[in-house]
Amino acid sequence: ASKLPKFNKILNGTQRLTADVALKIEEVLGIPAHIYLDLQSQYELDKAKIAEDTVTGLRWVAMVGRMPAHPLP
């Protein structure tokens, strides 16, 4: 069976890069596996920060929405 569908999922960000895949990429391209794993970790951190910022933003919008409206002078 072809490994391309799994590799495409990794490239598209829909599947996590694992250590065994990073080692196979290292074998083919000669670039150390830890570099790929570092990139995967950074990607996951960035996604978590974006999700956290989104939740924080939505909480702020909800809080502002509950504030009484005052007409401008």
Side-chain angles (χ1 to χ4, degrees), residues 8-60:
N8 284 334
K9 287 180 180 180
I10 293 168
L11 291 177
N12 291 326
T14 58
Q15 183 167 326
R16 186 175 197 287
L17 177 74
T18 59
D20 60 323
V21 173
L23 287 170
K24 289 175 185 172
I25 296 171
E26 175 184 67
E27 185 179 318
V28 172
L29 299 179
I31 300 170
H34 73 87
I35 291 175
Y36 300 108
L37 293 174
D38 290 346
L39 289 169
Q40 177 68 42
S41 294
Q42 188 61 53
Y43 172 74
E44 291 173 6
L45 282 171
D46 290 345
K47 277 181 56 174
K49 287 177 185 176
I50 290 168
E52 184 177 296
D53 289 347
T54 300
V55 169
T56 300
L58 291 174
R59 285 185 187 138
W60 184 84

